[in-house]
Amino acid sequence: MILTVTLNPSVDRALEVDALVRGEVLRAVGSHIDPGGKGVNVSRALLANGLKSTAVVPAGGAEGEQLVDLLKGEGVDMLAVPIVGRTRSNITLAEPDGTVTKINEAGPVLSAAEFAEVSDAVLTAARSSDWVVICGSLPPGPSVPAFAALCERLVAAGARLAVDSSGPALLAGVDAGATLVKPNREELAEAVGRELSTLGDVVEACARLRAAGAGTVLASLGADGAVLVEESGVLAGTSPVTVPRSTVGAGDALLAGFLAAGARGEAALVEGLAWGAAAVSLPGSRMPGPQDLDRTTVRLDARPDLSRPLGRG
Ligand SMILES: Nc1ncnc2c1ncn2[C@@H]1O[C@H](COP(=O)(O)OP(=O)(O)OP(=O)(O)O)[C@@H](O)[C@H]1O
Ligand SMILES: O=P(O)(O)OC[C@@]1(O)O[C@H](CO)[C@@H](O)[C@@H]1O
């Protein structure tokens, strides 16, 4: 069983507009609401493919209730920890060519007592889980040392920990010795403090995170695919998408597919790329199911050209 942890979940509201024009009243031509947050999406993707997981979410206020109802409606097993603050709403503005503009709230404050309650729930559930997957931004409140302590306690307790976050939270996961980290290009660049222009830059940056404590690094690179750097070597892969609809949650789908297929080697990278590409072909943050997956378009390369330039990030 996979335990996902989203410390800052959301109600995701996606509005489709014909074109984004600043300063105008825009009329939405379509709208939908999804339960959101990166770990929540990993759980949704796993469920869409018949795999069991439990999503840990702090939830508060009317939006917290809505989040819990949406998760129940989709049949996602959850551990909701009540909090005083109001769960955030994140907005996606989607244009017909697949361009998305996202506005994410900071999220409610998680008090020290609430964070301790969430941590206890995670540490307890971790005992019967194959993976603990902590994803997304830290809400205001918990300090980085408190988050780092949670990661360290999980690793010390023998949990296989995966972290998909940014900034200091990503580095805390690396330092704690997470089994897997999944940064995107921007997060990886921030973690190593330099721009990443080529595939070689990405491989080098992943190697640095491994040297600092991470077991495996799965770097997602948008349309440039993904790079996997693990004990046994380096693999790069792409999965072209003919008609991109929404990239929201593509990284979460990639991570879910990678975990679902064992989190190592070619088979897992193929699965992750197939799930990521399928998510990009679907509207909003809809997670792909078996009917959406096409593994035949995935191309892997065990000896990638490290001088290959990446698209504009
Ligand atoms: N434009 C695209 N064309 C083809 N595949 C894409 C595209 N964008 C994303 N992908 C696929 O989805 C995966 C994840 O994308 P990305 O690197 O943007 O993740 P992310 O920034 O973590 O996304 P999010 O935070 O929205 O979940 C990529 O590794 C790739 O397989
Ligand atoms: O603000 P964060 O935590 O970095 O990201 C939150 C979020 O943008 O990530 C998911 C897509 O990956 C969405 O469901 C959600 O709105």
Side-chain angles (χ1 to χ4, degrees):
M1 204 270 291
I2 293 179
L3 187 73
T4 66
V5 182
T6 313
L7 293 172
N8 201 4
S10 54
V11 171
D12 279 3
R13 186 179 296 272
L15 299 171
E16 286 164 30
V17 292
D18 284 333
L20 197 55
V21 191
R22 285 182 66 202
E24 292 289 316
V25 173
L26 304 176
R27 303 283 170 192
V29 293
S31 71
H32 47 261
I33 292 184
D34 289 305
K38 295 186 190 300
V40 163
N41 290 337
V42 170
S43 278
R44 295 168 67 219
L46 291 169
L47 182 67
N49 290 277
L51 298 164
K52 198 170 152 37
S53 78
T54 297
V56 178
V57 286
E63 284 84 347
E65 279 174 29
Q66 192 178 11
L67 173 67
V68 167
D69 286 347
L70 288 165
L71 285 169
K72 274 189 194 149
E74 290 197 4
V76 175
D77 186 47
M78 89 192 99
L79 261 168
V81 177
I83 59 167
V84 171
R86 176 187 62 78
T87 296
R88 63 183 171 156
S89 290
N90 291 342
I91 309 287
T92 299
L93 299 173
E95 294 173 80
D97 67 352
T99 306
V100 292
T101 304
K102 225 169 165 306
I103 307 172
N104 288 3
E105 285 191 68
V109 170
L110 209 55
S111 69
E114 288 167 344
F115 183 67
E117 207 179 318
V118 174
S119 298
D120 286 349
V122 171
L123 285 157
T124 304
R127 291 191 208 125
S128 51
S129 305
D130 301 312
W131 280 95
V132 179
V133 185
I134 306 183
C135 303
S137 58
L138 280 189
S143 64
V144 173
F147 177 75
L150 171 61
C151 294
E152 283 157 16
R153 287 177 72 188
L154 284 163
V155 172
R160 281 198 288 177
L161 173 66
V163 175
D164 174 5
S165 191
S166 51
L170 171 65
L171 292 178
V174 170
D175 289 344
T179 311
L180 169 68
V181 293
K182 202 289 296 162
N184 65 19
R185 177 176 169 186
E186 201 184 0
E187 293 156 352
L188 185 60
E190 189 190 0
V192 297
R194 56 164 295 206
E195 257 182 53
L196 308 174
S197 311
T198 64
L199 213 53
D201 292 343
V202 170
V203 170
E204 203 181 298
C206 291
R208 274 181 58 186
L209 296 196
R210 290 196 68 237
T216 292
V217 182
L218 174 64
S220 65
L221 305 172
D224 285 303
V227 166
L228 173 64
V229 181
E230 56 185 357
E231 200 178 358
S232 58
V234 174
L235 269 178
T238 51
S239 46
V241 174
T242 327
V243 187
R245 304 246 343 245
S246 164
T247 53
V248 180
D252 311 329
L254 170 84
L255 177 57
F258 185 74
L259 290 167
R264 68 163 59 137
E266 289 191 10
L269 186 57
V270 167
E271 200 66 7
L273 286 164
W275 291 34
V280 172
S281 313
L282 295 169
S285 60
R286 189 171 327 148
M287 290 293 121
Q291 70 287 354
D292 303 308
L293 302 177
D294 180 3
R295 297 168 185 89
T296 62
T297 61
V298 176
R299 295 283 168 267
L300 290 193
D301 197 346
R303 282 194 204 82
D305 172 8
L306 297 181
S307 66
R308 192 180 104 202
L310 301 176
R312 287 180 55 219

